[in-house]
């Protein structure tokens, strides 16, 4: 009987599936995203940031990519399983060849039973570090964990004054890692300078789903809306049992969906906080960490509520081990065990290396 239900559900999903097709011309663009440095970056169809992609569970997403750069390129959908189609997964010279300059390649991406919050980014020569990324939202065909009135998206990015290849050439040129001058980044919220992002509008009494994506290369981000609770309902494309928290701590590539219920009154506006920091760079006043603020606007011109600042250890943050998948599928049985030893060390020039089993990697 269960087998028949699975066949029926799969057939029903196929009946509603659509084919969404995009044409992407990947090329260089120029601008000042952080309101500080005017530089070359990588966009799509002349835009940066370029529009998010929206499809529905079961759809086929077709992206026709033309490479107008002067180096190879490729794309990766962060979180999509690509079962049986790893040649569309993007890692240049690992699962596919890069798309040569002036050439094109078509990605045929099957969402199948996946849904949730994802993102698409360049996967050649760290081109994502120069702006080549955008959110991908795969909408579910079923009722969400918590019913909401509206959904909003937030993206966090670290942004550097120079292109990635310049930073990489500098690091590779060092004979002694102790002489490294760290690169400090600015932060972008929703694609623009963190302190100049447009307000987020709340309507009193409405329930919002915030899809939050950390599209950073190196930095971590902490996000809070003081005066509001958040309930986690999705992590990295997997629905989770509701978990109430005060804030989110997110590393590169992580995604969360949280439910936030607006207050019933529009008499006060609120401030949200985003802290950008790196776990690998020494703190420096004014450079690391940096706190950005933005407005949760209930009413234009309303005063902002003053809320005392609490330390992180006074707040509730989600821990991955606390999250439980909403569908509560049983764990797969284990019939084989592989032991690997992970080591981290430096050579005589203090260049860090990592070892996984007997394989050595430069960190």
């Amino acid at each position: 009987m269960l087998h028949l239900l699975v066949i029926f559900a799969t057939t029903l999903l196929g009946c509603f599936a659509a084919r969404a097709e995009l044409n992407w011309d990947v090329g260089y663009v120029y601008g000042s995203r952080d309101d500080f440095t005017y530089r070359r970056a990588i966009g799509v169809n002349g835009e940066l940031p370029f529009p998010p992609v929206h499809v529905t569970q079961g759809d086929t997403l077709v992206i026709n990519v033309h490479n107008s750069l002067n180096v190879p390129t490729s794309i990766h959908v962060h979180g999509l399983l690509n079962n049986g189609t790893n040649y569309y997964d993007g890692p240049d010279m690992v699962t596919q060849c890069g798309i040569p300059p002036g050439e094109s390649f078509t990605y045929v991406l099957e969402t199948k039973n996946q849904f949730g919050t994802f993102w698409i980014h360049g996967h050649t020569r760290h081109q994502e570090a120069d702006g080549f990324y955008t959110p991908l939202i795969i909408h579910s065909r079923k009722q969400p964990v918590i019913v909401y009135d509206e959904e909003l998206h937030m993206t966090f990015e670290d942004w550097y004054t120079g292109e990635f290849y310049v930073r990489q050439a500098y690091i590779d040129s060092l004979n002694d890692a102790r002489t490294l001058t760290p690169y400090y980044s600015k932060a972008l919220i929703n694609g623009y300078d963190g302190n100049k992002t447009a307000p987020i509008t709340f309507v009193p009494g409405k329930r919002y789903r915030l899809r939050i994506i950390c599209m950073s290369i190196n930095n971590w981000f902490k996000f809070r809306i003081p005066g509001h609770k958040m309930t986690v309902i999705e992590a990295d494309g997997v629905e989770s049992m509701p978990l109430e928290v005060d804030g989110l701590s997110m590393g590169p590539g992580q995604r969360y969906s949280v439910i936030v219920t607006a207050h019933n009154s529009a008499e006060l506006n609120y401030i949200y906080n985003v802290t950008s920091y790196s776990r690998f760079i020494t703190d420096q006043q004014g450079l690391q960490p940096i706190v950005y603020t933005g407005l949760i606007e209930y009413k234009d011109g309303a005063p902002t509520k003053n809320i005392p600042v609490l330390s992180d250890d006074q707040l509730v943050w989600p821990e991955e081990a606390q999250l439980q998948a909403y569908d509560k599928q049983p764990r797969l049985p284990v019939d084989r065990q592989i032991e690997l030893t992970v080591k981290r060390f430096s050579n005589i020039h203090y260049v860090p290396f990592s070892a996984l089993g007997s394989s050595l990697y430069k960190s």
Side-chain angles (χ1 to χ4, degrees), residues 29-41 48-49 159-161 186 188 191-193 196:
V29 296
Y30 292 82
S32 177
R33 301 188 73 202
D34 58 3
D35 205 33
F36 178 74
T37 304
Y38 184 88
R39 75 168 182 89
R40 188 173 77 166
L48 185 64
W159 192 250
Y160 296 84
T161 57
K186 302 286 186 178
L188 308 179
Y192 299 96
D193 174 68
K196 296 186 178 179

Side-chain angles (χ1 to χ4, degrees), residues 76-144:
H76 169 73
V77 181
H78 201 103
L80 197 68
L81 296 178
N82 275 311
N83 287 336
T85 56
N86 67 337
Y87 41 83
Y88 291 137
D89 199 39
D92 187 0
M93 306 312 296
V94 179
T95 61
Q96 73 162 96
C97 295
I99 307 168
E103 299 296 327
S104 300
F105 183 78
T106 296
Y107 292 82
V108 182
L109 305 163
E110 302 289 351
T111 62
K112 297 183 178 179
N113 289 317
Q114 286 191 263
F115 56 89
T117 309
F118 304 84
W119 59 302
I120 305 173
H121 60 78
H123 220 309
T124 298
R125 302 180 181 222
H126 291 282
Q127 289 165 355
E128 71 276 21
D130 292 319
F132 187 15
Y133 43 63
T134 196
L136 167 65
I137 309 302
I138 305 177
H139 296 277
S140 175
R141 294 187 182 276
K142 64 179 185 178
Q143 182 170 294

Side-chain angles (χ1 to χ4, degrees), residues 255-288:
R255 297 96 62 205
Y256 280 110
S257 281
V258 297
I259 298 295
V260 180
T261 301
H263 296 305
N264 291 323
S265 170
E267 296 306 309
L268 293 171
N269 292 329
Y270 292 78
I271 298 294
Y272 68 77
N273 300 322
V274 176
T275 301
S276 172
Y277 65 101
S278 174
R279 294 174 180 263
F280 313 107
I281 299 176
T282 305
D283 288 358
Q284 185 166 329
Q285 183 69 31
L287 295 174
Q288 147 88 10

Side-chain angles (χ1 to χ4, degrees), residues 15-87:
C15 291
F16 291 102
R19 184 180 176 93
E21 188 162 350
L22 300 172
N23 295 313
W24 280 9
D25 185 1
V26 180
Y28 296 112
V29 296
Y30 292 82
S32 177
R33 301 188 73 202
D34 58 3
D35 205 33
F36 178 74
T37 304
Y38 184 88
R39 75 168 182 89
R40 188 173 77 166
I42 298 175
V44 166
N45 301 334
E47 293 185 84
L48 185 64
F50 51 100
V53 178
H54 290 264
V55 295
T56 303
Q57 177 189 0
D59 287 355
T60 299
L61 174 60
V62 178
I63 305 180
N64 303 307
V65 179
H66 178 75
N67 182 10
S68 291
L69 304 173
N70 58 12
V71 293
T73 192
S74 63
I75 66 171
H76 169 73
V77 181
H78 201 103
L80 197 68
L81 296 178
N82 275 311
N83 287 336
T85 56
N86 67 337
Y87 41 83

